Amino acid sequence: MSSATIIDGKAFAAKLRHRVAAGVASFVAITQRKPGLAVVLVGDDPASQVYVGSKKKATVEAGMNSFEHRLPATVSQEELIALVETLNADDAVDGILVQLPLPAHIDDKAVIAAIDPAKDVDGFHVVNAGRLAVGEDAFVPCTPLGCLMLLKEYVGDLSGKNAVVIGRSNIVGKPMAQLLLAENCTVTIAHSRTQDLPDVVRRADIVVAAVGRAEMVTADWLKPGAVVIDVGINRLPPQAGETKGRLVGDVAFDDALAHAGAITPVPGGVGPMTIACLLRNNLVAAHRRAGLEVPQGI
Ligand code: NAD
């Protein structure tokens, strides 16, 4: 039985981070300053703390400044927006990331709208979402951008491919579909109301699963040879002898290996690309703000 190529997101992300670090070094040589990324964390959600910690470490490793702002869960929306406005005006800050989710009393749309689109390295501002939709230069959300890079690396030309994106969130599904459309794929966006989802997925040369349901996509849903990008991160309940359950994606990986042409593992697939693309977006923001040409190959 044939076995799929395992797409090594970790290795690809390490190479991208190297290229970003080299770009940072040239930027510093020209401008005499380091690019800066400000990360705002509200409250003490454990998963968000881990994400923010990893982002800070990677930012510093790439040679950039990391400015961390931790606010209590009781902070008001006005205070949070006031901080965003201070960061907008701060010349040492090239990118601003407000870690989601925010506490229920804060409207995340209002906070994202307050970020200067030129510093919106998460690509969540409506100006960047709109630019992506009409095909202009935009900051693209890091996770779908990373997925696209992996697809281009493993598939090459995506033109004319049937792509099915499962999930329609603003953070992953919708921008992923826009990126694939821009690469001339025939794109279907599937979601929780899609009928006959397995049949829809069976038509796909490229499957991007961004649902958040452990191993929902089974091997019999896949066209033989399909390239599968698994965005989902789901923790299974702990089995006997385990303190924590295993992390799995939205695709039943072991069985899919016999059907897919190539597939990303979880962990070690899309996840490492997200942070690498954040560093990449921040370097791009720094170049644009300094009026410099963005380096090739990042
Ligand atoms: P979300 O909850 O905002 O969106 C999930 C989408 O899945 C929705 O559009 C919904 O319509 C669709 N959906 C739900 N049930 C479905 C079903 N039964 N059939 C078909 N579609 C269904 O989630 P999100 O923020 O887009 O994240 C999706 C997954 O990706 C989560 O597991 C999340 O943890 C993971 N994620 C990973 C990274 C990474 O860096 N690897 C980044 C972002 C999100």
Side-chain angles (χ1 to χ4, degrees), residues 143 166-169 172 191-192 197 210-213 216 231-234 270-271 274:
T143 299
I166 320 175
R168 58 174 160 182
S169 72
V172 189
H191 47 78
S192 52
L197 183 58
V211 180
R213 286 181 172 239
M216 182 186 86
V231 182
I233 304 175
N234 312 287
V270 173
T274 298

Side-chain angles (χ1 to χ4, degrees), residues 37-56:
L37 173 64
V39 177
V40 181
L41 174 62
V42 181
D44 44 23
D45 176 64
S48 293
Q49 291 197 0
V50 172
Y51 294 146
V52 165
S54 323
K55 286 168 186 171
K56 178 180 183 173

Side-chain angles (χ1 to χ4, degrees), residues 148-162:
L148 183 74
M149 287 181 184
L150 292 177
L151 280 169
K152 287 174 99 167
E153 173 78 5
Y154 281 82
V155 180
D157 183 13
L158 305 182
S159 185
K161 303 281 185 199
N162 273 329

Side-chain angles (χ1 to χ4, degrees), residues 208-231:
V208 181
V211 180
R213 286 181 172 239
E215 301 178 325
M216 182 186 86
V217 178
T218 50
D220 59 310
W221 292 23
L222 300 174
K223 175 171 167 176
V227 176
V228 182
I229 303 290
D230 191 351
V231 182

